[in-house]
Amino acid sequence: MATFFLALGLVLVVEGLVYALAPSLVEQLLAALRAIPEDSRRLIGLASIAFGLLLVWCAKMLGA
Protein backbone atom coordinates (compact mmCIF):
# COMPACT_ATOMS: atom_id res chain seq x y z
CA MET A 1 0.00 0.00 0.00
CA ALA A 2 2.90 2.35 0.71
CA THR A 3 4.14 1.88 -2.86
CA PHE A 4 0.74 2.91 -4.17
CA PHE A 5 0.80 6.14 -2.17
CA LEU A 6 4.37 6.82 -3.28
CA ALA A 7 3.42 6.35 -6.94
CA LEU A 8 0.29 8.49 -6.60
CA GLY A 9 2.26 11.22 -4.88
CA LEU A 10 4.88 11.24 -7.62
CA VAL A 11 2.21 11.49 -10.31
CA LEU A 12 0.59 14.43 -8.52
CA VAL A 13 3.96 16.19 -8.14
CA VAL A 14 4.74 15.83 -11.85
CA GLU A 15 1.23 16.92 -12.87
CA GLY A 16 1.39 19.90 -10.52
CA LEU A 17 4.77 20.97 -11.88
CA VAL A 18 3.46 20.94 -15.44
CA TYR A 19 0.47 23.10 -14.55
CA ALA A 20 2.54 25.43 -12.34
CA LEU A 21 5.48 25.94 -14.71
CA ALA A 22 3.84 25.84 -18.16
CA PRO A 23 0.07 26.37 -18.08
CA SER A 24 -0.02 27.69 -21.65
CA LEU A 25 1.81 24.57 -22.83
CA VAL A 26 -0.93 22.46 -21.24
CA GLU A 27 -3.55 24.32 -23.27
CA GLN A 28 -1.55 23.79 -26.47
CA LEU A 29 -1.20 20.10 -25.65
CA LEU A 30 -4.95 19.76 -25.06
CA ALA A 31 -5.65 21.45 -28.40
CA ALA A 32 -3.24 19.07 -30.13
CA LEU A 33 -4.92 16.09 -28.44
CA ARG A 34 -8.32 17.21 -29.73
CA ALA A 35 -6.92 16.98 -33.28
CA ILE A 36 -5.96 13.30 -32.81
CA PRO A 37 -8.71 10.78 -33.63
CA GLU A 38 -10.33 9.09 -30.63
CA ASP A 39 -9.13 5.62 -31.60
CA SER A 40 -5.54 6.85 -31.76
CA ARG A 41 -5.87 8.51 -28.35
CA ARG A 42 -7.21 5.25 -26.95
CA LEU A 43 -4.25 3.36 -28.42
CA ILE A 44 -1.83 5.90 -26.94
CA GLY A 45 -3.52 5.48 -23.56
CA LEU A 46 -3.28 1.69 -23.71
CA ALA A 47 0.38 1.89 -24.72
CA SER A 48 1.02 4.24 -21.79
CA ILE A 49 -0.63 1.79 -19.41
CA ALA A 50 1.48 -1.07 -20.75
CA PHE A 51 4.69 0.96 -20.48
CA GLY A 52 3.78 2.09 -16.97
CA LEU A 53 3.14 -1.48 -15.87
CA LEU A 54 6.48 -2.50 -17.35
CA LEU A 55 8.21 0.27 -15.39
CA VAL A 56 6.45 -0.77 -12.17
CA TRP A 57 7.43 -4.40 -12.76
CA CYS A 58 11.06 -3.41 -13.39
CA ALA A 59 11.11 -1.29 -10.24
CA LYS A 60 9.71 -4.16 -8.20
CA MET A 61 12.30 -6.55 -9.65
CA LEU A 62 15.03 -4.09 -8.62
CA GLY A 63 13.76 -4.07 -5.06
CA ALA A 64 11.56 -0.99 -4.87
Side-chain angles (χ1 to χ4, degrees), residues 29-30 32-53:
L29 178 61
L30 290 174
L33 282 172
R34 281 187 210 100
I36 299 173
E38 186 177 331
D39 289 340
S40 296
R41 285 183 285 177
R42 184 171 286 119
L43 185 60
I44 291 168
L46 291 171
S48 296
I49 291 169
F51 185 63
L53 286 173

Side-chain angles (χ1 to χ4, degrees), residues 14 22-24 63:
V14 171
S24 62

Side-chain angles (χ1 to χ4, degrees), residues 2-48:
T3 304
F4 171 77
F5 287 124
L6 175 63
L8 183 60
L10 289 172
V11 168
L12 291 173
V13 166
V14 171
E15 289 283 332
L17 282 172
V18 171
Y19 284 107
L21 298 177
S24 62
L25 184 62
V26 173
E27 290 187 25
Q28 292 173 4
L29 178 61
L30 290 174
L33 282 172
R34 281 187 210 100
I36 299 173
E38 186 177 331
D39 289 340
S40 296
R41 285 183 285 177
R42 184 171 286 119
L43 185 60
I44 291 168
L46 291 171
S48 296

